[in-house]
Amino acid sequence: MTSDPRDRLFDTHEMKAGLGRRAGNASVLVLALAAVRVLQQIASVAIIARLVPPAEFIPAAERYALMPAIDRWVLQNALAAMRRGKVADAGLWAINLSAHTLEDDSFADFVCSELGKSGVPAVRLCFELTETAALTHMERAMSFIQRMRALGCR
């Protein structure tokens, strides 16, 4: 992987492999790859020209199960910005997580690892879940919340 954040988020080979495992037939795979290309273009525009409102890319990202990768990217970049002091008096940072991320058994371990590498105190992070995600994935949500609280997250 390269150091370009777009490449970290939209590693086409990795996504093709993941989408190929999820795709039941070739037409689904073609649609999924088209979504990846659209998301890559959105990321390019967002990084070069302007911020892209979540409503413009999240529906496609959710449909093609890309939200866990996006949530990981957001966490990594938020921690990096906090570490570099990019935001004056940053205080508490709230990160919204998708319901798909709650289905990722390795996400809590990922958070622990990234927090450890960053040196950012866990008390500066707050993870937000929608009521729908929490109710739909009650056990996973409770387990994740308990683990994050044990780390010191809010």
Side-chain angles (χ1 to χ4, degrees):
M1 291 209 187
T2 68
S3 62
D4 185 333
R6 289 173 292 179
D7 291 339
R8 284 198 320 260
L9 178 57
F10 298 109
D11 181 336
T12 305
H13 296 295
E14 182 180 324
M15 288 187 182
K16 283 180 184 177
L19 291 169
R21 286 189 297 274
R22 288 183 174 83
N25 61 49
S27 62
V28 173
L29 182 58
V30 170
L31 289 173
L33 293 175
V36 169
R37 284 189 205 98
V38 169
L39 290 171
Q40 287 174 319
Q41 291 171 349
I42 290 170
S44 296
V45 170
I47 290 170
I48 295 168
R50 66 179 178 90
L51 292 177
V52 176
E56 290 185 26
F57 69 88
I58 286 181
E62 286 177 335
R63 180 176 184 150
Y64 296 104
L66 301 174
M67 286 308 299
I70 292 172
D71 285 346
R72 286 172 184 255
W73 183 88
V74 167
L75 176 66
Q76 287 176 319
N77 284 275
L79 290 171
M82 293 164 79
R83 185 178 57 248
R84 290 188 309 266
K86 289 287 184 185
V87 179
D89 192 29
L92 180 67
W93 284 47
I95 298 176
N96 293 308
L97 298 178
S98 75
H100 293 286
T101 298
L102 286 178
E103 296 171 2
D104 180 352
D105 293 330
S106 66
F107 187 72
D109 291 334
F110 177 77
V111 173
C112 294
S113 173
E114 292 301 310
L115 270 170
K117 286 191 266 184
S118 73
V120 172
V123 70
R124 293 190 59 201
L125 280 180
C126 172
F127 291 99
E128 296 181 347
L129 307 170
T130 65
E131 290 84 0
T132 303
L135 289 174
T136 304
H137 306 283
M138 182 68 79
E139 263 185 56
R140 289 178 184 262
M142 291 304 296
S143 175
F144 179 78
I145 290 168
Q146 289 169 351
R147 187 145 179 218
M148 294 303 104
R149 282 187 181 160
L151 285 175
C153 298
R154 297 185 188 180

